Amino acid sequence: MRVGLTFDDVLLVPKYSDVKSRKDADIRTSFTRGIQLSVPIVSANMDTVTEAAMAVALARLGGIGVIHRFLSVEEQVSEVLKVKRSEGVVIEDPITLGPDRTVHEALGLIGDRDIGGIVVVDRSRKVLGLLTRRDITLEDDLSRKVSEVMTPRSELITARKGVSMEDAKKTLHSNRIEKLPLLDGRGNLAGLITSKDIMKRKQFPSATKDSKGRLRVAAAVGVKGDHMERSRRLLDAGADALVVDIAHGHSAYAIDTLKEIKRELGDVEVVAGNVATARGALDLIKAGADAVKVGVGSGSICVTRVVTGSGVPQLTAILDSVRGAADSGVPIVGDGGIRVPGDVTKALAAGASSVMIGSLFAGTEESPGPTILREGVRYKFTRGMASLAASVDRRVREKGTAGQRDDEVIGEVIEESVPEGVEGLIPYKGRVDEVVKQLVGGLRSGMSYSGAHSLAELRRNAEFMRITSAGYKESLPHDIRKVV
Ligand code: XMP
């Protein structure tokens, strides 16, 4: 019988190092065959972890977020659009409104999409004016027409489609304006450049961006029901990768879906999972996966191993899957079980190209949901996607089509369900960039202990040593009264 190991069972043996500064450690990596990251960190497709705010924050930092799929198709598409529109060199398809709509509607749109302004166009997309947040936030009469409060075309500064970024910057600056609508030869809307986006480009030099300068984002899909329609719509909205999300990814369901997406939707990056074995990884790669997500029962909110008796401790799962993927060059995403920065170093030293993180990010500002105050301490809520509460919510959302009452649905789910996830509170941790800073700092330092200038070198130099419980105890702070 083999022994399965996880992060706490091992340490990396320090190696001779000529890495002069942690900054010299190059942590660039691949998320999928076609998507590169500056930071090997991915946020989990869980409904308490990744919607647009998290995906934007992570992409700016150089990682990527996976929008969860426990939303209607429209809602998930809207989250993807928020990321794609959040910044870019040129917003190709800006949000617009007709001149006869009301200030009330404009405010709703500005709030929903979290944007600073709307271009006003007629039916043929001819530009009539620009409405900014400032024009309407203090407007008392919400029934006024957009055309009455906008900056009209005659006073609007615009530029021709194809304007150089330098010229656009000069125009924005010399006119002290924040938005520059781009027009084609007929005066129709052809794009928008904003000063905020230009500033963000400087502020986040390592951001994960597509060829048009927009932040990258991935989105999860299932293997049944609306998954093909969902995939199509997500790709139309600009999703950079699809993540086929199924607990047991080494299955006919996952393989068939992967093949179907590859066959029907053409040139699309697909991450498939979850698996925990060499064979599982290899079978998904043969079916066309551009990355394989590894982790069965490793998640902090996960009780799969307890309920089913199945799973593989995460370090062994990564080592085995990396072996299965070895000749293909397909990256492995180590999913679940990351609790401390050293776990990231160990996962990447074992050969994962990136790590996916759930609960560690669920406590941050950017995760969906409010903070909760309990006995003076701030928390956020998190839950496994196979928890009872998540199953109930999912079925209540779907019931519309079945025409059932909420209480009937809830009763049914409770009766049928064998949850493989739990729910709970997680201490509030502030902004996600603070958490990522700790993880990346730990990784860079860990690479220097392994004498590694790059992640490939980390993998080559890695010598894992299995430790005992006494060794583990020694690794933690001991024999002091901890103050901080
Ligand atoms: P962490 O440890 O980062 O793990 O919170 C996140 C990963 O956990 C998985 N996940 C689940 N696994 N039952 C499971 O067995 C669940 O209800 C569940 N919800 C999430 C998932 O792979 C996620 O990325």
Side-chain angles (χ1 to χ4, degrees), residues 44 46 274 293 298-302 304 335-338 356-359 384-387 420-421:
M46 292 164 62
N274 278 19
K293 200 146 77 75
S298 46
S300 55
I301 34 46
C302 175
T304 293
D335 176 18
I338 301 291
M356 178 174 261
I357 291 179
S359 295
M385 295 322 305
S387 64
E420 289 184 27

Side-chain angles (χ1 to χ4, degrees), residues 306-360:
V306 182
V307 172
T308 69
S310 194
V312 175
Q314 186 66 351
L315 186 74
T316 297
I318 293 175
L319 286 164
D320 286 357
S321 304
V322 165
R323 195 161 37 80
D327 298 329
S328 66
V330 171
I332 296 293
V333 183
D335 176 18
I338 301 291
R339 295 173 306 148
V340 292
D343 295 346
V344 178
T345 317
K346 291 172 188 173
L348 299 177
S353 293
S354 63
V355 289
M356 178 174 261
I357 291 179
S359 295
L360 210 56

Side-chain angles (χ1 to χ4, degrees), residues 437-475:
K437 194 168 101 190
Q438 292 302 317
L439 296 175
V440 167
L443 169 61
R444 287 182 186 281
S445 206
M447 288 168 71
S448 133
Y449 275 102
S450 285
H453 298 83
S454 66
L455 292 179
E457 211 174 346
L458 173 67
R459 198 182 301 186
R460 271 199 307 278
N461 291 359
E463 181 191 341
F464 283 110
M465 178 180 278
R466 198 171 158 189
I467 59 172
T468 61
S469 60
Y472 176 67
K473 242 161 78 187
E474 187 185 62
S475 303

Side-chain angles (χ1 to χ4, degrees), residues 42-47 49 70 245-247 274 293-305 334-339 356-362 382-388 390-391 419-423 426:
V42 182
S43 69
N45 43 293
M46 292 164 62
D47 67 357
V49 179
F70 301 96
D245 169 35
I246 168 168
N274 278 19
K293 200 146 77 75
V294 170
V296 174
S298 46
S300 55
I301 34 46
C302 175
V303 287
T304 293
R305 295 181 191 164
D335 176 18
I338 301 291
R339 295 173 306 148
M356 178 174 261
I357 291 179
S359 295
L360 210 56
F361 287 164
T382 187
R383 65 184 183 184
M385 295 322 305
S387 64
L388 182 61
S391 307
E420 289 184 27
V422 296
E423 46 197 295
I426 185 142

Side-chain angles (χ1 to χ4, degrees), residues 92 131 156 181 204 355 418 449:
E92 288 194 335
L131 188 74
L156 200 61
F204 301 106
V355 289
V418 183
Y449 275 102

